Amino acid sequence: MKIVPLILGILFGGAVLSYVLGKIHVYIKIIVSFIALLTSGFLFLSQYGVTDTFSMNIAGFDVIWRINPLSWLFGIMIFGFGLMVLIYSTAYMKGKERIGLFCFSLCITIASMVGIVVSADLLSFFFFWEIMTWASFLMVIYYRYEAQKAGIKYFVMSAIGAYAMLLALFMIQAEIGSLSFAVIAANWSGFSIGFQTSLILLFLLAFGLKAAMVPLHTWVPDAYSISPAPFSALFSGVLSKMGVFGIIILFYVISGGSFATQFVTYKGVALPGYLLAWVGVLTALIATIIAVVQDDAKKLLAYSSIGQLGYIVMAIGIGDSLGMTSGLFLAVNHTIFKGMLFLAIGAVFYRTGTKKMSELGGLITRMPYTFFVVLLGIITLAGVPPLSGYVGKWMLYEALIQKKLVFLAVATFAASTIAFLYCYRLIYTIFLGQRPEKFDTIKEVPLAMRIPMVLLSLLTMYLGFYPYHLLDVIAFAETTLFGIEPFILKDTVLFSQIGGVDTITVMSIVGVAFVVIFIIFNTVYKRSRLVGLKDIHTSGEVPGPEINLHFAINFYQPFSRGVQGVLKRSADRAYQSIADGLENLFDLMRYIYTGNGQTYAMYVIIFLVFLFVFGTILI
């Protein structure tokens, strides 16, 4: 039996079984979900280096599923992170309502994403894409009435992307009579420039929505914020990567990687890729600025996720060996660190009941594991040693400098620098400073929630020291599918045309520096006393417990005033203006289309009289 349909059968069958059998007892749905995910994941893992293809014909359409190095890379991201989310959910969702719906939607979403990455034809791709969208929509509206606005926005934006992709499918089918990736790639160079441009724009609209490219990002903050915490992590960690995967398929698979020969190039980058790179860097810059001024922790992470996806999209647009390698490395890295940050903020909400950072503070002693995860998460996000974020950012900057894309490099550096502001705000306002008295008795989250967060944290450390284990997989995918010359590395040493870096050396230096500083602070300054939060100069007055000495409200006000020009321009408001205009137009049309049969009969009579009077003139 072919492996691919077996894997999909286990995943979808497991989702249905968990929902049906889960009505007997809640633990049955969890056990069934675990068995389905572990079994299918093990089968998928065993296919590394093996190209397994399954095909059949349905109503004249060729349906093709296959596992290749690229789909294997994305599939392992889905299975690995999906398992972490499932473990986390066993504690987080305990006692919640509609657990059956949550488990079913989670399993169906994971199954459909696997379906997307194994699809080798656009019909299968679109089919699994829509299943993923509907299953995730159920999670956006999980909290019913309070999630109604976010659900409508997500549904409308997803529908726009779906219709764009469907139109592209119709155009391709009418042109060549096939939706197979291989057939499209073979015929791509024969398409006119206008036809190619139309397909690129339609697919980018569909994929850009899921990848949260500006200005298609407006659904993300609300959807990520209102969804249950485990699903918010899945949204940011892997569902957003389906948009990235789609862009890669568009640029390097169904187009046959022929953009450079079909379009004008700039500094060796095809025009579509160069424009995509600018969209990516503007996405990173704008989203990062907006993230700094957020008070809702999940919305901050949502805008941060949009910004990080911008880096990935930019790297893919550059398109050379170093650019593609950095894009894929950043994609995997983003899954790890942004997933663990969403899980950590979910843990804070689980204990405190609030996502507003201005209402939190001083949780470091009450939730030390969660603090540790957030600390490692923001270090990885910032792209500084000794964690895996440094490797991805190093490759990205090297790719920009090699291509002499100076303005892109400057804008990327600006976005990365601004990101430090929200990184500091996230950890300071939640874990440091004064703790509200109502949180004095809270405890660390259950073990089932801690395990996934800590495992992901350890993975960022491991990839910081030994990135070549992931880079070897990426190089295999690039050489096998894209024909791109593999990125040069030798064990822990990464090379570019400009220079190289030994990750072990860099990480060791940072590690030693950390240990030295730790020893100094615990020996030289050992006699220093612990100063209480209220032990300050207060002009002779002792502040009461109701006085909040933790500066978490109106954080970064000078910065907010400085970027007001960016903040006051909103894609949401632009879309709302378009919607209001359409609504006014439809209100006007209601005077014509009244729904009254007599009115329509009068229209027919007037039309017949018009033809009778002017018919001879018109003829």
Side-chain angles (χ1 to χ4, degrees):
M1 184 177 182
K2 290 288 186 177
I3 290 291
V4 181
L6 178 60
I7 291 172
L8 294 176
I10 292 172
L11 285 171
F12 282 101
V16 174
L17 275 177
S18 69
Y19 184 78
V20 174
L21 298 180
K23 295 182 181 297
I24 301 173
H25 197 280
V26 66
Y27 287 119
I28 296 179
K29 64 168 62 76
I30 295 172
I31 293 170
V32 171
S33 301
F34 266 114
I35 292 173
L37 193 58
L38 286 171
T39 305
S40 54
F42 177 78
L43 291 173
F44 196 93
L45 185 65
S46 67
Q47 296 302 296
Y48 181 65
V50 178
T51 302
D52 183 75
T53 303
F54 170 82
S55 62
M56 58 183 172
N57 189 279
I58 300 178
F61 292 95
D62 291 325
V63 174
I64 307 168
W65 301 335
R66 54 86 188 95
I67 297 177
N68 59 30
L70 181 67
S71 61
W72 189 90
L73 174 64
F74 278 84
I76 291 304
M77 289 164 56
I78 296 167
F79 279 111
F81 192 73
L83 182 61
M84 295 296 102
V85 169
L86 191 57
I87 295 171
Y88 182 94
S89 301
T90 57
Y92 186 90
M93 297 303 295
K94 187 176 181 180
K96 301 285 196 304
E97 62 176 352
R98 299 190 296 162
I99 298 179
L101 173 66
F102 176 86
C103 261
F104 177 75
S105 298
L106 179 64
C107 293
I108 287 292
T109 303
I110 292 172
S112 57
M113 288 191 290
V114 174
I116 288 171
V117 300
V118 300
S119 295
D121 68 281
L122 285 175
L123 183 63
S124 298
F125 191 99
F126 180 76
F127 175 74
F128 289 120
W129 187 273
E130 285 302 285
I131 294 176
M132 175 189 71
T133 299
W134 277 99
S136 55
F137 171 71
L138 293 176
M139 284 295 94
V140 174
I141 61 171
Y142 179 82
Y143 291 113
R144 297 177 180 171
Y145 298 111
E146 60 182 297
Q148 194 174 58
K149 182 180 177 182
I152 291 173
K153 186 186 293 186
Y154 179 59
F155 181 82
V156 171
M157 297 291 281
S158 296
I160 292 171
Y163 283 123
M165 193 189 304
L166 191 61
L167 178 57
L169 265 63
F170 286 152
M171 291 170 61
I172 293 172
Q173 178 67 24
E175 185 74 14
I176 62 175
S178 176
L179 296 175
S180 165
F181 289 170
V183 175
I184 298 171
N187 288 273
W188 183 271
S189 59
F191 296 156
S192 66
I193 294 295
F195 192 77
Q196 289 183 14
T197 304
S198 300
L199 292 179
I200 292 170
L201 293 176
L202 288 170
F203 279 123
L204 279 181
L205 178 58
F207 301 145
L209 274 163
K210 283 295 187 288
M213 288 163 46
V214 170
L216 308 173
H217 68 288
T218 56
W219 63 272
V220 172
D222 293 329
Y224 284 19
S225 178
I226 202 65
S227 302
F231 208 86
S232 297
L234 193 76
F235 248 134
S236 177
V238 287
L239 195 143
S240 62
K241 303 308 179 302
M242 296 302 99
V244 173
F245 180 80
I247 293 172
I248 294 173
I249 292 296
L250 170 64
F251 273 57
Y252 299 99
V253 179
I254 64 177
S255 68
S258 60
F259 281 148
T261 59
Q262 297 294 310
F263 289 89
V264 176
T265 61
Y266 175 75
K267 294 187 176 180
V269 181
L271 183 60
Y274 183 69
L275 295 177
L276 182 68
W278 268 109
V279 171
V281 76
L282 290 175
T283 297
L285 192 58
I286 293 170
T288 301
I289 291 172
I290 300 174
V292 174
V293 301
Q294 297 303 307
D295 188 38
D296 184 313
K298 287 182 75 174
K299 282 193 175 181
L300 184 152
L301 290 180
Y303 279 110
S304 169
S305 188
I306 295 169
Q308 297 298 315
L309 287 166
Y311 297 132
I312 299 169
V313 168
M314 177 178 58
I316 293 170
I318 296 171
D320 65 353
S321 174
L322 196 52
M324 272 298 297
T325 303
S326 66
L328 290 172
F329 190 93
L330 286 169
V332 177
N333 196 49
H334 180 264
T335 295
I336 299 168
F337 77 77
K338 195 49 64 73
M340 67 196 238
L341 283 173
F342 267 105
L343 294 179
I345 296 304
V348 172
F349 178 74
Y350 179 82
R351 284 306 190 201
T352 64
T354 181
K355 298 174 292 183
K356 295 189 68 174
M357 293 182 288
S358 57
E359 297 175 356
L360 297 166
L363 298 183
I364 182 172
T365 56
R366 308 307 304 169
M367 305 181 71
Y369 286 97
T370 306
F371 166 77
F372 173 76
V373 170
V374 173
L375 178 62
L376 293 187
I378 64 172
I379 291 174
T380 308
L381 187 155
V384 296
L387 305 181
S388 55
Y390 168 73
V391 178
K393 287 287 182 70
W394 181 86
M395 290 190 292
L396 179 59
Y397 283 121
E398 291 287 305
L400 292 169
I401 295 170
Q402 278 187 186
K403 289 288 187 181
K404 296 182 174 59
L405 301 172
V406 179
F407 293 110
L408 278 172
V410 171
T412 303
F413 182 75
S416 297
T417 304
I418 296 171
F420 280 95
L421 298 179
Y422 71 69
C423 286
Y424 176 72
R425 178 176 190 172
L426 185 69
I427 199 162
Y428 172 76
T429 55
I430 296 176
F431 295 99
L432 305 179
Q434 180 183 354
R435 181 174 61 245
E437 287 188 340
K438 61 182 177 179
F439 300 139
D440 282 345
T441 58
I442 66 171
K443 300 178 181 178
E444 185 59 87
V445 291
L447 185 63
M449 294 173 66
R450 275 180 275 161
I451 288 174
M453 294 192 296
V454 173
L455 286 177
L456 291 170
S457 302
L458 295 175
L459 190 54
T460 64
M461 294 182 187
Y462 183 81
L463 289 178
F465 282 88
Y466 305 104
Y468 66 92
H469 288 137
L470 175 57
L471 291 172
D472 284 341
V473 177
I474 292 172
F476 183 44
E478 288 177 343
T479 54
T480 304
L481 295 177
F482 311 144
I484 296 177
E485 184 180 344
F487 173 66
I488 303 172
L489 68 152
K490 183 178 181 182
D491 294 334
T492 60
V493 182
L494 315 179
F495 296 96
S496 74
Q497 295 176 5
I498 302 167
V501 59
D502 186 346
T503 56
I504 285 289
T505 302
V506 172
M507 307 313 174
S508 298
I509 292 172
V510 174
V512 169
F514 177 82
V515 171
V516 170
I517 293 171
F518 180 82
I519 293 173
I520 291 174
F521 270 91
N522 283 274
T523 54
V524 178
Y525 298 102
K526 193 173 182 180
R527 295 180 181 179
S528 61
R529 65 186 180 88
L530 180 65
V531 179
L533 290 172
K534 305 288 175 63
D535 189 5
I536 59 174
H537 179 70
T538 56
S539 299
E541 295 196 15
V542 178
E546 72 282 356
I547 304 298
N548 191 345
L549 302 177
H550 180 33
F551 182 71
I553 301 174
N554 294 327
F555 215 82
Y556 293 138
Q557 273 302 294
F559 176 83
S560 300
R561 289 192 294 269
V563 296
Q564 196 59 42
V566 175
L567 298 177
K568 70 180 181 181
R569 288 170 173 80
S570 168
D572 254 334
R573 285 196 289 272
Y575 293 146
Q576 188 61 49
S577 299
I578 295 172
D580 292 340
L582 290 173
E583 189 174 358
N584 292 333
L585 175 63
F586 297 149
D587 286 338
L588 181 64
M589 292 176 65
R590 286 193 184 97
Y591 290 105
I592 302 173
Y593 297 98
T594 63
N596 189 311
Q598 294 177 334
T599 304
Y600 295 149
M602 182 182 69
Y603 292 160
V604 173
I605 293 171
I606 292 173
F607 181 69
L608 291 175
V609 170
F610 177 83
L611 288 179
F612 179 77
V613 174
F614 298 101
T616 54
I617 298 175
L618 294 173
I619 293 173

